[in-house]
Amino acid sequence: AAGVYLITFKSTTMVICGVVVCVIDVLLICVLIYMRKKIALSATIIREACKGVVFNPAIFFIAALIICVFAAFAAFLLASYVSLSYFPPNSEGVITHNEEWVGLFFIFGAFWGSLFLLAVLEMCVSGAVASWYFGRAGNTAEGSPAFTMLGLAFSKSFGALAFGSLVL
């Protein structure tokens, strides 16, 4: 009799789980039906964005370059923090305030540097896509817009990007 009870309990549990899954499926289908126009709009936006990337494939090279720079920056910060974190304590065995601030300085530098590199990437991508979008009438500039924007990011817009990443 105990075996029959266990089988009945397991099957009741499975029925409850099945009903819960069916209710969740029905809710998801209702959400998809309600959002179908927004999904179609998102697909159109992605299709247009792909046309912009086809126009300027150097965006991928710029992204890979900035990722490599970020990896080198992170390795430098990690190596510097590890080497500086082994300050010998003073003669009394106490760590001074200057050594306590080193960790906070490196955390601040890591956030600021990574946000700056992210801002440079955003500027390059947005500038390249904007030059494609607004230059479709045939008045496009010479050269790669992504590299042009990278040059602008490290020359004329350097301060704005650095200050913006500091504020964030």
Side-chain angles (χ1 to χ4, degrees):
V4 174
Y5 176 73
L6 288 176
I7 292 172
T8 307
F9 177 73
K10 288 182 180 178
S11 64
T12 305
T13 305
M14 293 301 285
V15 169
I16 291 172
C17 289
V19 169
V20 169
V21 168
C22 287
V23 168
I24 290 172
D25 287 342
V26 168
L27 288 174
L28 286 175
I29 290 170
C30 290
V31 167
L32 285 175
I33 290 171
Y34 178 73
M35 302 287 284
R36 69 184 180 276
K37 291 181 181 177
K38 292 184 180 184
I39 292 171
L41 176 65
S42 298
T44 305
I45 290 171
I46 290 172
R47 192 176 301 117
E48 286 296 315
C50 289
K51 290 177 185 176
V53 170
V54 167
F55 169 75
N56 193 1
I59 292 173
F60 291 117
F61 180 75
I62 297 292
L65 178 69
I66 290 178
I67 288 171
C68 290
V69 168
F70 177 74
F73 176 69
F76 167 74
L77 281 178
L78 182 65
S80 299
Y81 182 71
V82 167
S83 67
L84 290 175
S85 65
Y86 291 109
F87 279 127
N90 59 9
S91 61
E92 299 167 359
V94 178
I95 297 175
T96 62
H97 291 291
N98 292 337
E99 287 119 4
E100 290 176 356
W101 287 99
V102 169
L104 293 175
F105 173 75
F106 276 101
I107 291 171
F108 173 75
F111 279 124
W112 191 9
S114 62
L115 287 174
F116 175 75
L117 290 173
L118 181 65
V120 169
L121 178 63
E122 289 174 356
M123 182 176 172
C124 291
V125 170
S126 62
V129 171
S131 69
W132 162 77
Y133 186 79
F134 294 112
R136 288 193 281 188
N139 53 356
T140 58
E142 295 295 323
S144 174
F147 288 113
T148 304
M149 293 308 294
L150 185 65
L152 285 173
F154 284 110
S155 60
K156 294 181 182 178
S157 299
F158 188 83
L161 294 175
F163 183 72
S165 60
L166 174 66
V167 169
L168 290 178

